[in-house]
Amino acid sequence: MNPFATLGHDIVTLWNEYAGMYLSGIWNTISLAFICTAVGCLIGLLCGVLNTIPYSKNDPLPKRILLGFVRLLIQIYVEVFRGTPMILQAVVIYYGLPYFTNYAMRFDSIWLCAFLVVSINTGAYMAESVRGGIISIDPGQTEGAKAIGMTHWQTMTHVVLPQALRNILPQIGNNLIINIKDTSVMSIIGFTEFFGVHKNVVGTTYMYFPSAAIEMIGYLSLTVIASVILRQLEKKMEGSDTYELTQDDMLTLTSGTYRLDKKPEDIAERNLEGGGQR
């Protein structure tokens, strides 16, 4: 018998019998990945902003000590959670806290533990991405904002962060795609996401490869859809790149007078009209 036909038959059989479990696992994966990515971005944003607050030797000693201590804590947090596998972080938090606290601290909700682990892990990566995004903004813009009397908070919220977030949007999307796949390690603590369903189905049917094929198709579909949505969001944030100089009035200064035309064909038609007049 054709092995591909056999595989297709087994996949259809598994799906017909366990479609509800697979779809439930997909929903758990999507919800955990999206929520944890959003929370991780907020954690990374906070850490990135705190990590870039300027201070000098002329500032008061308490301010320098406080900012130095905060930056040290952030650095330790980032290094620990970026330098260890997420699966071990889940094991330490879910099983380690009860072990070291004589069960005084333990998670009664597996979902809550999975949410905490993935969010903190994502936040560690996003902290460095946000810091890099803030540093990438031209210092002249910060100096200009200060020159017109804006505070550091106003400069960050109105000038620096909007541009930095646009620059790090691809990294946010990359972390979302990574989380869609890496939430599979949460099955180690009993969280029934997409891969956890696969383990349960295999334990019942012993049809390992057909179930793995369903998993591959499912994860690939989720990541491709997320990539398409994120690409469209990036294009929307970039805006149109079609500009022309406004020169309707010959006495108008050309410096800084730009007009955005959404239709390139309008520009071509206007250029032809201008050429005919000359």
Side-chain angles (χ1 to χ4, degrees), residues 43-44 68 70 72 77 142 177 196 200 202 211 228 233 247:
I43 295 173
V70 168
L72 177 62
Y77 157 63
T142 303
I177 292 174
N200 292 338
V202 169
S211 181
V228 172
L233 181 59
Q247 294 179 338

Side-chain angles (χ1 to χ4, degrees), residues 5 62 78 99 157 165 212 232:
V78 170
Y99 183 84
T157 55
L165 291 176
Q232 295 301 318

Side-chain angles (χ1 to χ4, degrees), residues 226-242:
S227 298
V228 172
I229 295 175
L230 291 167
R231 292 284 176 83
Q232 295 301 318
L233 181 59
E234 290 177 24
K235 290 181 180 179
K236 187 173 183 179
M237 291 190 66
E238 288 175 359
S240 178
D241 57 355
T242 303

Side-chain angles (χ1 to χ4, degrees), residues 1-14 207 209-210:
M1 183 178 292
N2 189 338
F4 292 101
T6 303
L7 176 61
H9 177 269
D10 291 341
I11 290 175
V12 171
T13 301
L14 282 178
M207 300 173 67
F209 184 68

Side-chain angles (χ1 to χ4, degrees), residues 56-76:
S56 62
K57 295 181 179 179
N58 298 326
D59 289 329
L61 181 61
K63 177 181 178 181
R64 286 183 287 156
I65 294 176
L66 178 61
L67 288 177
F69 180 69
V70 168
R71 291 187 178 183
L72 177 62
L73 290 180
I74 293 175
Q75 184 177 0
I76 294 173

